[in-house]
Amino acid sequence: MASGAEGARPGVEGAPLAGRRVLLTRSPDRAGAMARALAHAGAEPLLLPVIDFERAADQPALSAALDRLAAGAYGWLVISSITTVRALKEVAAAQGRELAAIVPPGVHVATIGPSSRRVLEAEGLRVDLAPEGKQSAEGLVELWAYADDSGASGADGAGTVRVLIPQSDIAAPTLAEGLDARGWDVETVTAYRTVDYPADPDLRIVASLAAGEPAGEEARAVVLAPGEANADLQAGRLDAVVAASPSAARRIHAVLSPLDATALIAIGEPTAGELNRLGLAVGATAATPTPEGIVDAVTRALASHPTVPKETP
């Protein structure tokens, strides 16, 4: 039986996604803004959490890296995901400090796009570099070519640029390899583990964000179990499935079937590439990882697919 908060009420008839049922593969505490945007566009958002996040196994290594950061050992701090912000906040809190207190004023901060910039700035950090076009690790590496011209090289007195990249245990090497190719001294450290949903309650990352969902504003949408989602797919009751990351794409491939008659929406090119690698067709790719970008991608993917009566569960 589906569980969770009261289902989000679809928007008025005539809205671009009126009558559509869209599956978000996120947990309620991470899907609120997306679910509300889809409901406002007329869709019925549903949730199937497929991945979750736990604290890094080697907490001493992460704490030591943050101590070096606070001591001014790095010229750049690269935040490659919003989950990284949560993980660093937990470590800082365990040390009795705010996140902003471990990033000295002389350290430059880079991130992967406007959404993560907003989150970091809400935490009191100044962001020096964030791509607005290609919002991914690849886009950040490409944008970095202009960092030297801006005067934000982050080089130390010996001319060496030292970079700290806290990241997921399964992060692709795109950032590290791209900066290493520039001749910079790059250190990566595992900030969190990406695991199948649900995470171990004792290890799950639960730090809230200053720019996150307000208390009590979790997604008001029905949460499905995998078996319920597959039954809906088989009956043609799901119009679209949204994959938010390459790791989510892999879990979607592992737990959902059949997907051939359902539009798959990727958030970002890396996710689209992973879906393609798995042999899954991508209906549309969200240009930006925002609720508005996701609504636009779902609308584009379903524009040529007429609404059909859904079989009653």
Side-chain angles (χ1 to χ4, degrees):
M1 180 71 69
S3 62
E6 175 187 345
R9 179 177 298 175
V12 298
E13 185 176 352
L17 294 176
R20 303 294 198 167
R21 302 180 84 230
V22 180
L23 185 67
L24 297 171
T25 52
R26 280 188 166 182
S27 55
D29 61 326
R30 298 172 190 269
M34 289 184 191
R36 289 192 294 274
L38 286 166
H40 183 73
E44 179 187 356
L46 302 163
L47 304 182
L48 174 66
V50 293
I51 61 172
D52 211 343
F53 308 101
E54 295 179 354
R55 291 187 291 278
D58 193 348
Q59 287 290 294
L62 178 57
S63 294
L66 296 189
D67 286 341
R68 291 192 293 275
L69 174 66
Y74 307 99
W76 281 92
L77 170 65
V78 183
I79 303 292
S80 56
S81 73
I82 291 175
T83 303
T84 300
V85 184
R86 292 178 182 266
L88 297 189
K89 282 195 70 173
E90 287 205 348
V91 175
Q95 297 175 341
R97 297 187 283 186
E98 298 290 330
L99 179 58
I102 64 175
V103 184
V107 175
H108 300 290
V109 178
T111 191
I112 57 171
S115 295
S116 49
R117 175 193 285 274
R118 177 179 61 86
V119 166
L120 286 165
E121 290 178 342
E123 299 294 340
L125 295 173
R126 186 193 75 248
V127 176
D128 298 281
L129 202 64
E132 294 189 1
K134 187 185 294 185
Q135 296 174 29
S136 63
E138 182 182 13
L140 179 55
V141 170
E142 292 176 0
L143 180 62
W144 225 301
Y146 301 98
D148 292 337
D149 295 336
S150 73
S153 69
D156 61 19
T160 301
V161 181
R162 304 192 67 187
V163 185
L164 176 64
I165 308 178
Q167 59 187 9
S168 168
D169 63 322
I170 59 171
T174 307
L175 275 171
E177 291 179 353
L179 298 183
D180 184 70
R182 295 176 60 85
W184 290 5
D185 183 3
V186 180
E187 179 183 345
T188 61
V189 62
T190 299
Y192 64 92
R193 296 178 61 240
T194 301
V195 299
D196 295 348
Y197 186 88
D200 183 330
D202 293 330
L203 299 175
R204 189 172 193 259
I205 294 174
V206 296
S208 60
L209 299 172
E213 296 285 354
E217 288 296 316
E218 292 189 348
R220 294 177 62 81
V222 171
V223 180
L224 301 180
E228 294 169 313
N230 283 324
D232 277 355
L233 284 169
Q234 292 166 8
R237 293 193 294 265
L238 288 178
D239 295 288
V241 176
V242 179
S245 66
S247 53
R250 291 189 287 273
R251 288 297 296 154
I252 287 169
H253 179 259
V255 305
L256 290 180
S257 180
L259 290 166
D260 52 311
T262 300
L264 281 176
I265 313 303
I267 300 180
E269 292 297 338
T271 304
E274 185 66 9
L275 288 169
N276 286 329
R277 188 190 70 79
L278 293 166
L280 299 174
V282 178
T285 300
T288 60
T290 61
E292 296 77 16
I294 291 150
V295 168
D296 174 72
V298 173
T299 302
R300 286 188 284 111
L302 296 179
S304 60
H305 294 74
T307 304
V308 297
K310 304 296 190 295
E311 179 182 319
T312 303

